[in-house]
């Protein structure tokens, strides 16, 4: 914890950097990263052959498949092998071992869920892991709730307890007398989660957007009685409607943190609720389908990230399917970090449905525009071979499921969709992945 506090103090000083200082740091850190990668990674020597001195934007992207197919050649630590890491992960899942403890007293390991294909496995050494934790601590501090030696920060986390998921590893690593942490599983029965939070009374409440929305409904119904100073949403896209419901429940707007297993924190809001990118830790490049950087303020087709502190498993222009936009600088808070202007989720959140002249891309906003108005407790759209299955957790008294179906069909028709069946169901809870996430829109998976 002392190492984390020291590193967080260093990051705090960077909050005062101007654009010139940020750019100089990025250039120096990127040079260090590339030298480390070329010196220790056979994969990057091959992948960047002939481009060692080329600017970042000329380097080829790296996909998750590239990393996993070449893991042993990508890592820079001698003797670190994918087969051994996978054995460790299987052991974690089979036992009650503490995921916050380093494997082989040296590395921390976490995986992606694999919902967009093959799962990714990521490894950090002690220095890298301290930076991962410091990036999340930064998000808390920017939200106005720093860790202080004289005031323990009671954190309630409702996310994943799967020990291979980064939220579980982070939660287990942060738990201490300074940060007493209640870790709850998003897949647990709602009544158990409500009871545990009522007993713990967190000062900071962190969770998936879908979980927080449900808890906000419980708070308004009087079954949940907590008064968190700050609410942080992470790992799922936070809709305006869900944010409004959380504000109504707890008296202030939630802070929407943008992070990923691969990168740790990428951006988080300041007190003015403007999301600043952690440019000192990561370089983000929203690109179009051809891989060209899009103009400021434009939502990209996907995202390339370069993690400036990654050494064990270097990530240079690593491809993520997230659709985000980057804006300019300037904020009343005084920070000069670029702003994240929009997060539209992942490519997989966009459904392809039959239309008059072929498949039509349907953005999640089509569903938000209809479903956010009819239920406050949550909804989910699942694409299946026959059409769409729409799950509603509760429904306004004056609206029927048939009326919702009619509204959706009308919205889809206006968007150019033809011949798609819609089945609307009332449920007690939406469907979650094994990691506890509940994506609002789930596209039909391709046969494997």
């Amino acid at each position: 914890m002392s190492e984390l506090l020291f590193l967080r103090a260093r990051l705090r000083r960077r909050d005062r950097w101007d654009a010139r200082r940020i750019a100089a740091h990025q250039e120096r850190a990127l040079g260090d990263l590339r030298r480390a990668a070329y010196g220790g990674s056979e994969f990057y020597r091959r992948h960047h052959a002939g481009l060692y001195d080329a600017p970042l934007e000329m380097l080829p992207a790296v996909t998750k498949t590239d990393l996993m197919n070449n893991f042993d050649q990508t890592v820079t630590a001698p003797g670190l092998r994918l087969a051994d890491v996978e054995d460790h992960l299987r052991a974690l899942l089979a036992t009650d071992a503490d995921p916050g403890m380093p494997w082989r007293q040296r590395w921390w390991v976490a995986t992606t869920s694999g919902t967009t294909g093959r799962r990714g496995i990521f490894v950090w050494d002690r220095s890298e892991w301290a930076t991962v934790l410091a990036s999340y601590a930064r998000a808390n501090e920017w939200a106005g709730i720093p860790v202080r030696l004289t005031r323990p920060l009671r954190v309630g986390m409702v996310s994943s307890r799967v020990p291979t998921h980064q939220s579980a590893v982070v939660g287990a690593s942060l738990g201490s007398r300074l940060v007493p942490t209640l870790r709850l599983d998003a897949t647990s029965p709602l009544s158990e989660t409500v009871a545990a939070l009522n007993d713990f009374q967190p000062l900071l409440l962190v969770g998936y957007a879908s979980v927080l929305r449900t808890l906000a409904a419980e708070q308004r119904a009087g079954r949940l009685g907590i008064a968190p100073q700050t609410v942080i949403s992470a790992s799922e896209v936070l809709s305006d409607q869900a944010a409004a419901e959380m504000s109504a429940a707890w008296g202030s707007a939630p802070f929407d943190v943008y992070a990923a297993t691969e990168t740790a924190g990428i951006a988080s809001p300041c007190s003015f609720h403007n999301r600043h990118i952690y440019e000192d830790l990561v370089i983000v490049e929203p690109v179009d389908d051809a891989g060209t950087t899009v103009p400021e303020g434009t939502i990209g087709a996907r995202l390339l990230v370069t993690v400036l502190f990654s050494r064990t498993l270097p990530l240079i222009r690593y491809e993520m399917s997230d659709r985000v936009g980057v804006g300019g600088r300037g904020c009343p808070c005084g920070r000069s970090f670029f702003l994240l202007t929009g997060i539209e989720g992942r490519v997989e959140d966009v459904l392809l449905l039959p239309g008059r002249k072929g498949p039509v891309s349907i953005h999640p906003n089509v569903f938000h525009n209809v479903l956010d108005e009819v239920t406050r407790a949550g909804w989910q759209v699942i694409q299946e071979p026959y059409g769409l299955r729409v799950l509603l957790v509760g429904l306004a008294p004056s609206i029927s499921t048939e009326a919702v179906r009619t509204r959706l069909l009308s919205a889809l028709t206006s968007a150019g969709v033809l011949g798609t069946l819609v089945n609307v169901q009332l449920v007690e809870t939406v469907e979650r992945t094994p990691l506890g996430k509940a994506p609002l829109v789930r596209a039909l998976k391709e046969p494997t």
Side-chain angles (χ1 to χ4, degrees), residues 289-430:
D289 288 324
T292 303
T293 302
V294 300
E296 285 187 10
T298 302
I299 299 294
R302 59 186 185 276
L303 184 68
L304 303 181
V305 293
T306 298
V307 181
L308 295 172
F309 62 89
S310 62
R311 293 294 184 274
T312 303
L313 182 65
L315 296 178
I316 303 175
R317 301 202 92 201
Y318 174 79
E319 182 179 301
M320 298 168 59
S321 63
D322 296 34
R323 296 169 54 89
V324 306
V326 174
R329 305 181 189 276
C331 178
C333 75
R335 295 180 179 87
S336 296
F337 292 114
F338 266 127
L339 299 175
L340 196 69
T341 57
I343 302 176
E344 290 190 355
R346 298 196 158 199
V347 173
E348 291 74 17
D349 295 330
V350 176
L351 300 186
L352 289 178
L353 299 177
R356 294 181 181 88
K357 298 181 180 180
V360 178
S361 295
I362 301 299
H363 191 275
N365 284 347
V366 173
F367 302 107
H368 279 287
N369 292 339
V370 175
L371 301 178
D372 281 349
E373 296 180 0
V374 301
T375 176
R376 292 184 174 182
W379 58 265
Q380 190 174 46
V381 176
I382 302 173
Q383 186 180 23
E384 296 186 333
Y386 74 86
L388 302 178
R389 183 159 55 97
V390 180
L391 307 182
L392 304 177
V393 183
L395 195 59
S398 60
I399 302 175
S400 66
T401 56
E402 180 59 26
V404 174
R405 192 181 77 86
T406 300
R407 290 187 190 182
L408 272 179
L409 285 173
S410 176
L412 291 170
T413 301
S414 297
V417 175
L418 286 179
T420 292
L421 298 177
V422 175
N423 177 21
V424 179
Q425 304 173 2
L426 287 177
V427 297
E428 293 186 359
T429 183
V430 294

Side-chain angles (χ1 to χ4, degrees), residues 36-55:
Y38 300 153
S41 170
E42 177 186 337
F43 168 76
Y44 276 105
R45 288 194 294 269
R46 182 175 69 249
H47 200 58
H48 291 177
L51 298 170
Y52 291 172
D53 297 320

Side-chain angles (χ1 to χ4, degrees), residues 107-170:
W107 290 297
W108 284 259
V109 184
T111 70
T112 61
S113 63
T115 54
T116 60
R118 183 179 181 181
R119 72 171 181 172
I121 297 175
F122 298 87
V123 184
W124 303 267
D125 66 15
R126 184 172 298 277
S127 174
E128 294 164 325
W129 189 244
T131 304
V132 168
L133 298 180
S135 76
Y136 289 115
R138 168 186 268 177
N140 296 345
E141 185 158 316
W142 283 10
I145 188 164
V147 175
R148 294 190 176 94
L149 295 175
T150 57
R151 187 188 185 191
L153 174 59
R154 298 174 64 81
V155 179
M157 294 184 64
V158 191
S159 55
S160 175
R161 289 297 303 269
V162 175
T164 59
H165 189 248
Q166 193 187 72
S167 63
V169 186
V170 168

Side-chain angles (χ1 to χ4, degrees), residues 93-106:
L93 291 170
T95 66
D96 291 328
D98 181 358
M101 296 299 294
W103 172 54
R104 293 181 173 176
Q105 292 79 51
R106 184 175 179 184

